[in-house]
Amino acid sequence: MTQHQAAEGDHKPRPDYPPKSPPPPKSPPSPFPPDPKGGEKTATNRQRRLSMTNRPGVNWPLEAQPWAAKGAAGRVVKQLREWGYTPDDAKATAVVTQLVNAAVTDGGTRISLHMTHQHDQAAILVVSHHPVHTQDTTLLPRIARLGVADCGTESAPDGRRIWAVLDLEPPPTALGKGSAAPAVSR
């Protein structure tokens, strides 16, 4: 055997393609995407989304127009009746009108009205969907004078949220208030 043949026998042939590289290690997903403003979102400083859970609720998108308040008030009164309540129409209409008109003045193109009920109270929330940097300091006192159980407002990136809670008369029972159960005959 020549030296040249021995050298060829010891030498392994070169592959025609590069060897397969191992896949990159899997990393767990980040809990929150990085904030484009430089800060990192955490569970304590991220914006809470609006949600109504474990209770019946309705919502309506509305145009941010001065005439929207009348239609919104009619929808609220109708829905309260469908839920079995007998609302004070004048009070409910006045409260919804104040909430909707305040959202309309924020200057957006749309607003939304959200309502839920629980324990003989109705929570009515209007979102302006337009960020507001100034606050009307007379709004909450005007709403409170209408006789609501509670009211409030907060500014959020999705617009100003204005809400009020109305106390409602409990719906009448099938037997009527204070009625005894009917006697059963056999």
Side-chain angles (χ1 to χ4, degrees):
M1 186 185 234
T2 65
Q3 191 175 6
H4 180 40
Q5 289 175 339
E8 283 182 27
D10 291 341
H11 184 277
K12 294 184 179 177
R14 194 178 119 220
D16 293 339
Y17 56 91
K20 206 175 195 182
S21 59
K26 292 185 178 181
S27 60
S30 173
F32 302 105
D35 188 6
K37 295 178 183 156
E40 187 174 320
K41 290 185 178 182
T42 64
T44 57
N45 70 2
R46 68 181 172 160
Q47 180 63 37
R48 292 180 300 153
R49 290 186 49 93
L50 181 63
S51 68
M52 295 186 293
T53 55
N54 301 327
R55 62 186 56 99
V58 294
N59 62 57
W60 299 281
L62 304 167
E63 286 186 68
Q65 297 294 329
W67 47 261
K70 183 177 180 182
R75 289 178 179 182
V76 166
V77 170
K78 180 181 176 187
Q79 184 62 49
L80 289 172
R81 290 186 193 285
E82 286 179 15
W83 283 334
Y85 295 103
T86 307
D88 178 348
D89 291 2
K91 182 183 197 178
T93 299
V95 169
V96 172
T97 300
Q98 287 289 326
L99 296 174
V100 171
N101 285 340
V104 167
T105 61
D106 289 349
T109 58
R110 68 184 179 101
I111 59 175
S112 59
L113 188 146
H114 308 262
M115 185 172 70
T116 185
H117 74 98
Q118 184 176 6
H119 305 300
D120 302 327
Q121 290 185 320
I124 303 167
L125 169 76
V126 177
V127 182
S128 69
H129 300 284
H130 186 76
V132 177
H133 302 292
T134 61
Q135 294 291 329
D136 178 3
T137 58
T138 65
L139 176 63
L140 294 180
R142 283 194 321 257
I143 295 172
R145 279 193 296 271
L146 297 173
V148 297
D150 201 0
C151 61
T153 183
E154 74 175 344
S155 293
D158 63 342
R160 184 164 60 151
R161 300 171 182 176
I162 312 157
W163 55 270
V165 177
L166 293 174
D167 285 323
L168 302 168
E169 276 295 315
T173 61
L175 302 174
K177 290 185 177 180
S179 298
V184 178
S185 60
R186 293 187 190 222

